[in-house]
Amino acid sequence: MIVIKYLWYYTFWTIVRFGLRIYFSKVKVTGLEKIPRNTPVIFGSNHENAFIDALLITTSNTLFDHYLVRAGVFKNAFAKAFLNSLNLMPVYRPEDGVNPLEANKQIFRACFETLAKKYSVMLFPEGEHNIRRHRRVLKKGISRIALGAVNFEGGTKELSIVPVGVNYADHTGFRSAVHIVFGEPIVVKQQEESAANVNKLTLEITEALSKVHVSLDRNEFEGLDAVLFHDQNPYQIIEPVRVNQTAKKLGQRIDEVRQIGLEKKELEQAGVIFPYRESTGWDQCKMWLLAPLGLFGLLAHVPVLLPVNWFVSNKVKDIEFVASLKFGFSLFGIAIWWWFLANRILTQTEQWPIVLLSLLVLVLGLIGMNSFVRKWRNFRMTRFLRANPILGTKYQAFVADVDKLRASLD
């Protein structure tokens, strides 16, 4: 039975990993060598992007991961069976209509038994998901599980908590960049499960986690976000050490940061959509060169893209679920669609090289469509600002203030 479970888990793991490498233009992973191999591991991660956070973490390491997720997704019987088969376990909250302390006792015990077998457990100690890149107060569940596991009869006497940071360039966009950072492990040995030890361990995890993901000051988030990310440079956003160091320096210039935040808010109220970078002549040239490929990518995938976009636009209320649903529906929808097209092409041509070439063109069409859409949005915003000279002047003043502040930090 365990062999079948392993085969199913790692088959799904392989499919999802392949899909994520298409969905994201860049998946950077650092710190894999820090994951202990001789003790059970608890992965504790920031949580900005719903299910896709867990998918990125688990497909970035080869351990037999088990996950704690909110109980609400287990309500459907089919979903429950599917999620259980992939090592997902429900964690209960007061809004789930049960006593969370009692309901979670069984789940905690399952975690203890999982760690005793030297498998890994993944959870999100922030207790919420939110795309805003700031530090959050952690829940104490991760510490209680760790201390409970090392005191569990017949369980492990030592484990490691590995902080994981998932850093997105763009939380909802196709072909964006992401950086998964595995931090220094926190070794937990057998000790009393006292409130003092729980609080001490939670603080230690909080500090470790804040080093591996972009964790801006919550109270000054609007201004810091305006200074650091208004132009959405993906190679800057996904480097947490560099961004957090810059944010710390900006904390000494807080009045200027707040003023820039107010300027950005005023521009947004006037119709400017951030993140935005001015579209140059070369950008526009590349956009029109991409147009034929983008149009082909759109037309070739209408049967999949149309229902997915309709569902996301009309049924998804929380932006944190957008990427997860886009990826999930597209992964299986596009796979089925490509399988159908491949069979039709093979029937017509009886030539496998033509089938493979056609699939490559379909992939390039999707990428070209996405690149065209991104450049088209910047192009439209550039035209909007140029058609409004007063607003354009305010935007240029905003950029000048940001550049001046950034330059003063170097």
Side-chain angles (χ1 to χ4, degrees):
M1 186 66 182
I2 188 65
V3 174
I4 296 174
K5 192 173 181 67
Y6 268 95
L7 285 173
W8 163 237
Y9 176 89
Y10 284 108
T11 298
F12 190 80
W13 183 97
T14 302
I15 293 170
V16 171
R17 179 182 169 88
F18 176 75
L20 287 169
R21 267 54 183 182
I22 294 178
Y23 188 84
F24 289 96
S25 64
K26 178 180 182 181
V27 179
K28 181 179 179 181
V29 182
T30 57
L32 278 174
E33 72 283 355
K34 296 176 182 178
I35 301 175
R37 298 294 173 179
N38 56 345
T39 61
V41 173
I42 297 176
F43 292 114
S45 172
N46 64 314
H47 200 16
E48 296 180 2
N49 221 4
F51 304 120
I52 210 163
D53 291 338
L55 296 177
L56 282 164
I57 295 168
T58 197
T59 55
S60 296
N61 76 87
T62 55
L63 298 183
F64 194 56
D65 292 335
H66 293 65
Y67 321 83
L68 288 180
V69 298
R70 61 188 184 88
V73 299
F74 287 81
K75 291 181 179 179
N76 179 277
F78 174 79
K80 181 179 180 180
F82 176 73
L83 295 174
N84 284 336
S85 74
L86 293 170
N87 301 335
L88 274 71
M89 297 180 285
V91 60
Y92 295 90
R93 302 168 299 173
E95 54 263 42
D96 293 316
V98 298
N99 183 334
L101 293 177
E102 290 299 320
N104 285 330
K105 281 183 180 179
Q106 294 181 7
I107 301 304
F108 278 27
R109 182 181 178 87
C111 290
F112 303 158
E113 292 172 349
T114 297
L115 292 165
K117 296 174 184 176
K118 293 194 175 181
Y119 297 145
S120 60
V121 172
M122 182 194 306
L123 65 156
F124 301 98
E126 293 172 342
E128 62 172 342
H129 54 213
N130 194 303
I131 65 171
R132 290 162 68 91
R133 303 176 179 93
H134 58 62
R135 181 185 292 207
R136 295 174 179 83
V137 178
L138 302 190
K139 306 295 183 183
K140 297 178 182 178
I142 186 171
S143 299
R144 293 195 174 106
I145 290 173
L147 294 178
V150 295
N151 286 288
F152 180 63
E153 185 177 353
T156 182
K157 302 306 176 187
E158 181 180 320
L159 59 80
S160 296
I161 298 174
V162 176
V164 188
V166 186
N167 302 275
Y168 296 93
D170 179 354
H171 289 88
T172 61
F174 176 59
R175 299 297 294 169
S176 63
V178 63
H179 185 188
I180 300 100
V181 183
F182 294 91
E184 295 293 338
I186 300 168
V187 178
V188 180
K189 297 184 178 181
Q190 197 169 35
Q191 58 191 278
E192 183 185 358
E193 296 179 65
S194 64
N197 284 339
V198 168
N199 291 337
K200 180 182 176 183
L201 183 56
T202 303
L203 286 174
E204 193 173 354
I205 298 167
T206 300
E207 287 303 311
L209 187 56
S210 69
K211 295 176 182 178
V212 293
H213 74 95
V214 174
S215 50
L216 306 181
D217 185 319
R218 187 170 194 149
N219 295 324
E220 305 299 337
F221 175 78
E222 299 296 342
L224 292 171
D225 183 66
V227 175
L228 293 166
F229 306 138
H230 75 91
D231 55 357
Q232 202 86 339
N233 183 333
Y235 299 103
Q236 177 188 26
I237 294 174
I238 64 174
E239 297 300 336
V241 174
R242 184 191 310 166
V243 173
N244 291 338
Q245 287 175 347
T246 303
K248 187 175 181 180
K249 293 178 183 178
L250 288 169
Q252 302 168 9
R253 311 280 291 274
I254 208 63
D255 288 340
E256 294 168 81
V257 169
R258 288 174 180 170
Q259 179 58 38
I260 288 173
L262 291 174
E263 291 176 26
K264 178 173 178 275
K265 187 175 181 180
E266 184 180 348
L267 288 167
E268 287 176 324
Q269 291 173 342
V272 180
I273 300 174
F274 290 96
Y276 163 69
R277 279 179 287 176
E278 185 175 7
S279 179
T280 65
W282 176 234
D283 289 329
Q284 293 167 31
C285 181
K286 288 189 290 185
M287 179 185 73
W288 294 117
L289 288 173
L290 281 167
L293 183 62
L295 181 60
F296 166 76
L298 174 63
L299 295 176
H301 294 92
V302 162
V304 178
L305 297 178
L306 198 61
V308 170
N309 287 334
W310 177 87
F311 183 84
V312 169
S313 300
N314 293 280
K315 299 296 183 180
V316 180
K317 296 179 180 179
D318 297 332
I319 192 172
E320 291 81 10
F321 282 100
V322 168
S324 298
L325 292 170
K326 275 185 178 180
F327 173 73
F329 286 133
S330 298
L331 176 65
F332 295 104
I334 288 177
I336 293 170
W337 179 240
W338 285 356
W339 176 84
F340 170 77
L341 292 177
N343 273 280
R344 292 296 301 271
I345 294 169
L346 184 60
T347 301
Q348 295 293 324
T349 66
E350 298 183 351
Q351 296 289 325
W352 275 106
I354 296 177
V355 173
L356 296 175
L357 180 62
S358 300
L359 290 175
L360 176 61
V361 172
L362 287 170
V363 173
L364 293 175
L366 269 180
I367 295 172
M369 179 190 69
N370 181 71
S371 297
F372 174 81
V373 168
R374 286 179 179 271
K375 294 183 185 303
W376 175 254
R377 287 172 181 166
N378 266 346
F379 172 67
R380 288 188 62 191
M381 187 53 57
T382 298
R383 291 188 63 186
F384 171 70
L385 287 172
R386 289 176 180 172
N388 296 268
I390 296 176
L391 185 59
T393 301
K394 287 184 178 180
Y395 172 75
Q396 294 300 330
F398 162 76
V399 172
D401 288 343
V402 172
D403 289 344
K404 180 180 178 181
L405 183 54
R406 285 178 176 176
S408 70
L409 299 176
D410 296 335

